[in-house]
Amino acid sequence: MWEQQLTGLLLLCLFVTVLGENTNYNWNGPGVSQPTLAGPADACLTDTAACGCCLMKKQMNRMEEYFNMSLSDLQEGLSRAQNMITNIRTSRSAFSVALTNVRRCFGPFREGKIVDYKVIFLNLDNRYNPDDGMFIAPRSGVYVLAVTVYSDAGAPGSSLHACANLRINDVDVANLNDTNMQDQEDSATAVLAQQLSAGDRVYIYLPIDCSLCGDGSHYNTFTGFLLYATD
Ligand SMILES: *[C@@H]1O[C@H](CO)[C@@H](O)[C@H](O)[C@H]1NC(C)=O
Ligand SMILES: *[C@@H]1O[C@H](CO)[C@@H](O)[C@H](O)[C@H]1NC(C)=O
């Protein structure tokens, strides 16, 4: 576009310049000198067409510089935005799992154990490992973590121990505990936002005596997702 317009302008300039030169031809014939015309300072007086064309060309050049600058600003902004989008895309992280699809109780055990949720609703990049029950944060950021525990005492009047701890790197960050003999079933939920570093391990720990029971209704769930990255 610009090149075409510029070429057109240049041609126009040449044309006008040639015409301008023609007017300086000596019509009195060769050898007869004509009064010398003015120097560059008076160019606009003697050759207004060529002069106007030159001014126009200067103006066009300035405009082109300006547009070149704006264009490179835009291109820079665009590539920054594209980088950000790529960054957001590659930083996606989410998992959501449930204890079981069939009637099953996890616990009680004589020692604490990590709960291995076997039903995978969502597991981007396999950051949750169903073999050991651990989610490993792929990158630093603020993550939302949610756990719901549910248990069934088996019979009315039996003691119920619906309890589990949400842990980050082996440290309890939220304990859920519904221990009683008043009703047969109970559940508890914790939802929190936590700053995690890449490589941090998040899991649900089942303390001694606690047990989680469920079936295809998915009463026991564990979910985590990256809200926003901080690296
Ligand atoms: C504008 O950019 C084009 C393409 O990069 C370049 O050829 C041209 O010389 C630039 N014009 C000016 C006035 O800087
Ligand atoms: C749950 O609460 C009961 C009653 O306060 C307590 O005896 C029990 O130790 C707690 N269990 C866990 C795992 O924190």
Side-chain angles (χ1 to χ4, degrees):
M1 265 285 279
W2 277 110
E3 274 159 14
Q4 275 174 6
Q5 284 178 3
L6 264 187
T7 315
L9 199 74
L10 274 174
L11 283 177
L12 183 71
C13 269
L14 282 175
F15 182 62
V16 171
T17 314
V18 167
L19 277 184
E21 273 168 5
N22 278 348
T23 60
N24 289 346
Y25 266 37
N26 188 353
W27 291 106
N28 299 329
V32 183
S33 65
Q34 215 173 242
T36 339
L37 285 173
D42 303 311
C44 282
L45 295 176
T46 54
D47 194 352
T48 47
C51 178
C53 180
C54 278
L55 286 177
M56 209 150 87
K57 189 175 178 311
K58 259 192 197 156
Q59 196 67 17
M60 288 297 282
N61 216 45
R62 267 204 295 265
M63 268 167 71
E64 194 186 319
E65 260 172 30
Y66 174 75
F67 279 114
N68 271 4
M69 258 164 51
S70 320
L71 188 66
S72 74
D73 281 353
L74 280 176
Q75 276 164 341
E76 220 171 88
L78 183 67
S79 88
R80 263 205 308 271
Q82 277 168 337
N83 281 348
M84 262 165 73
I85 289 172
T86 311
N87 200 24
I88 289 171
R89 283 227 175 96
T90 56
S91 76
R92 283 176 187 166
S93 177
F95 74 94
S96 188
V97 293
L99 186 66
T100 177
N101 262 338
V102 295
R103 196 163 174 77
R104 169 195 177 205
C105 282
F106 186 80
F109 301 110
R110 273 195 230 132
E111 54 184 29
K113 262 195 186 184
I114 297 174
V115 184
D116 54 336
Y117 294 85
K118 294 299 188 197
V119 182
I120 313 276
F121 297 132
L122 182 73
N123 192 11
L124 288 190
D125 296 330
N126 293 316
R127 295 298 175 165
Y128 169 79
N129 184 347
D131 294 331
D132 63 11
M134 284 204 199
F135 167 71
I136 297 181
R139 62 188 298 167
S140 303
V142 171
Y143 288 76
V144 173
L145 303 168
V147 56
T148 293
V149 299
Y150 169 91
S151 201
D152 189 330
S158 307
S159 64
L160 179 76
H161 299 278
C163 30
N165 304 345
L166 173 64
R167 286 188 167 180
I168 297 173
N169 297 331
D170 309 324
V171 175
D172 287 349
V173 291
N175 292 2
L176 302 124
N177 185 5
D178 199 333
T179 304
N180 65 66
M181 296 182 71
Q182 287 142 18
D183 53 6
Q184 196 180 326
E185 303 116 344
D186 253 322
S187 71
T189 292
V191 179
L192 51 155
Q194 281 278 333
Q195 170 78 51
L196 298 182
S197 301
D200 279 355
R201 293 168 296 118
V202 184
Y203 59 88
I204 306 302
Y205 178 80
L206 191 83
I208 300 171
D209 285 341
C210 300
S211 69
L212 307 179
C213 295
D215 54 25
S217 298
H218 305 136
Y219 299 120
N220 283 284
T221 52
F222 176 34
T223 294
F225 55 87
L226 179 67
L227 193 58
Y228 57 87
T230 54
D231 59 2

